[in-house]
C-alpha cells in the first residue's frame, strides 16, 4: 500500500511500496545529500515481527554482505545498510522494471506465450549474473561459494532498459556467512528447487542451473510446472515427474534450445 506521507529513515525518504516478500518490504525511496543531491534508490525494510528474531536479522545482514561482493550488471547491488533505532534497511540501486512473474501473468492473460527470442535474451542476462555469483572471489582470491538457492520468476527483474537482473540473495549460501541453514532445513520456493535442495542436502551451483531451467521452461511453455496446494505435494511431483520437452509443447521452439532446458532440469545433478 502506498504511503500517503513519505517516511524518513536516516538520509532516505521512503515514498511507496514496490514489492513485499518473506523478509521485508521494498520501497521506492530517494537518497538526499548536500547541495540538493537527490537519487532514486530501492529500500528493503525488514518486517518488524522478524526484527526481534536473531536468526532472521543474521539472514538479512548476510543478504547485504553477499550482494555487496558481487560486481556484475545483471545483479542488483546493495549499496548501503541502515540501522535506524534498531530497524534494519538494505539500500539497493533502483531499477525501473517489473518482475518476470508479472511478465508471465500478463502473457497468460493475453493467452500469448513469451516469444522464445525474448525469453532467450532474458535468460542470457540471468545466466551471466548467476555465473558471476558462482565465480565470485574475495579480496584474497578465495572463492566465496555463492549459490542463490531462490532463483524464480519473482527474483528476476526485467528492466525497462531491456536488461534483466537478479534480485534477493536473502537465502543464498556463501562461505563465511553468519547464518548457515541447518541440515535438513529447506528454504526457498518448492516449485523451483532442485531435487537435492528439496531433500535438504547441501547444494552447489547446479541447483541454480536447475532453478533457471524450470523458470525458462515455464516462460516458453506458458504454464506453471507444478501447481498444487501445498509444498509437500509440489515436492513429490518435482521429485518424481519428468517434464515435457518444451519443443513438444510448442513446436516453434528450436530443438537445440529445448534440449538445453531438458538437460538443465534433469533430476540427476
Amino acid at each position: 500500500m502506498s504511503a500517503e506521507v513519505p517516511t524518513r529513515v536516516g538520509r532516505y525518504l521512503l515514498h511507496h511500496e514496490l514489492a513485499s516478500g518473506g523478509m521485508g518490504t521494498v520501497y521506492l525511496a530517494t537518497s538526499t545529500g548536500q547541495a540538493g543531491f537527490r537519487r532514486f534508490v530501492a529500500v528493503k525494510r525488514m518486517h518488524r515481527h522478524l526484527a526481534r528474531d536473531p536468526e532472521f536479522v543474521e539472514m538479512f545482514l548476510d543478504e547485504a554482505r553477499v550482494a555487496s561482493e558481487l560486481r556484475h550488471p545483471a545483479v542488483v547491488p546493495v549499496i548501503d545498510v541502515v540501522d535506524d533505532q534498531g530497524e534494519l534497511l538494505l539500500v539497493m540501486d533502483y531499477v525501473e522494471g517489473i518482475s518476470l512473474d508479472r511478465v508471465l501473468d500478463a502473457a497468460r492473460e493475453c493467452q500469448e506465450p513469451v516469444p522464445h527470442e525474448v525469453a532467450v535474451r532474458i535468460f542470457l542476462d540471468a545466466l551471466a549474473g548467476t555465473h558471476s555469483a558462482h565465480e565470485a572471489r574475495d579480496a584474497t582470491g578465495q572463492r566465496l561459494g555463492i549459490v542463490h538457492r531462490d532463483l524464480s520468476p519473482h527474483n528476476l527483474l526485467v528492466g525497462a532498459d531491456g536488461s534483466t537482473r537478479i534480485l534477493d540473495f536473502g537465502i543464498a549460501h556463501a562461505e563465511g556467512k553468519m547464518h548457515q541453514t541447518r541440515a535438513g532445513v529447506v528454504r526457498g520456493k518448492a516449485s523451483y528447487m532442485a531435487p537435492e535442495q528439496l531433500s535438504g542436502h547441501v547444494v552447489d551451483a547446479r541447483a541454480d542451473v536447475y532453478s533457471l531451467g524450470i523458470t525458462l521452461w515455464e516462460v516458453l511453455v506458458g504454464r506453471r510446472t507444478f501447481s498444487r496446494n501445498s509444498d509437500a505435494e509440489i515436492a513429490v511431483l518435482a521429485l518424481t515427474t519428468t517434464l515435457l520437452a518444451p519443443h513438444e509443447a510448442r513446436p516453434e521452439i528450436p530443438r537445440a534450445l529445448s534440449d538445453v532446458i531438458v538437460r538443465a532440469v534433469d533430476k540427476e545433478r
Side-chain angles (χ1 to χ4, degrees), residues 22-151:
M23 291 186 64
T25 301
V26 180
Y27 294 87
L28 175 66
T30 48
S31 171
T32 58
Q34 297 293 324
F37 174 84
R38 185 171 178 268
R39 175 190 179 188
F40 281 115
V41 293
V43 172
K44 185 173 184 179
R45 195 175 196 176
M46 190 176 188
H47 295 318
R48 290 187 181 276
H49 69 281
L50 297 179
R52 297 186 294 272
D53 187 324
E55 181 178 6
F56 281 97
V57 170
E58 287 181 1
M59 289 173 62
F60 199 73
L61 293 174
D62 276 333
E63 177 180 355
R65 274 188 287 271
V66 170
S68 68
E69 295 284 357
L70 302 178
R71 302 284 188 276
H72 194 277
V75 176
V76 176
V78 173
I79 57 178
D80 196 9
V81 179
V82 177
D83 184 348
D84 184 70
Q85 299 179 354
E87 182 179 17
L88 289 174
L89 301 97
L90 304 186
V91 183
M92 300 166 284
D93 275 348
Y94 170 68
V95 179
E96 185 179 0
I98 60 174
S99 70
L100 182 58
D101 190 55
R102 288 177 59 189
V103 173
L104 293 179
D105 286 342
R108 281 189 287 269
E109 285 181 14
C110 297
Q111 298 184 334
E112 288 287 344
V114 177
H116 69 264
E117 299 91 345
V118 175
V120 167
R121 179 64 266 165
I122 290 171
F123 278 84
L124 286 174
D125 290 341
L127 287 164
T130 303
H131 182 69
S132 75
H134 294 165
E135 295 296 314
R137 298 175 183 270
D138 64 18
T140 68
Q142 185 73 24
R143 181 168 289 180
L144 293 169
I146 297 173
V147 184
H148 189 286
R149 298 197 301 181
D150 196 20
L151 290 169

Side-chain angles (χ1 to χ4, degrees), residues 172-249:
H173 169 80
E175 301 298 332
K177 285 178 61 176
M178 289 194 306
H179 177 268
Q180 297 292 348
T181 303
R182 297 185 301 276
V185 175
V186 178
R187 299 190 189 278
K189 302 175 185 69
S191 296
Y192 301 94
M193 288 185 193
E196 62 271 21
Q197 188 174 356
L198 281 168
S199 302
H201 296 147
V202 175
V203 299
D204 58 25
R206 291 171 289 184
D208 285 345
V209 173
Y210 180 93
S211 299
L212 287 175
I214 290 290
T215 304
L216 182 53
W217 188 96
E218 291 187 349
V219 173
L220 291 175
V221 175
R223 61 179 172 86
R224 302 290 189 192
T225 48
F226 311 114
S227 55
R228 292 296 186 271
N229 293 328
S230 71
D231 283 354
E233 290 175 308
I234 291 171
V236 170
L237 286 172
L239 290 169
T240 59
T241 303
T242 299
L243 293 173
L244 187 70
H247 76 278
E248 295 176 1

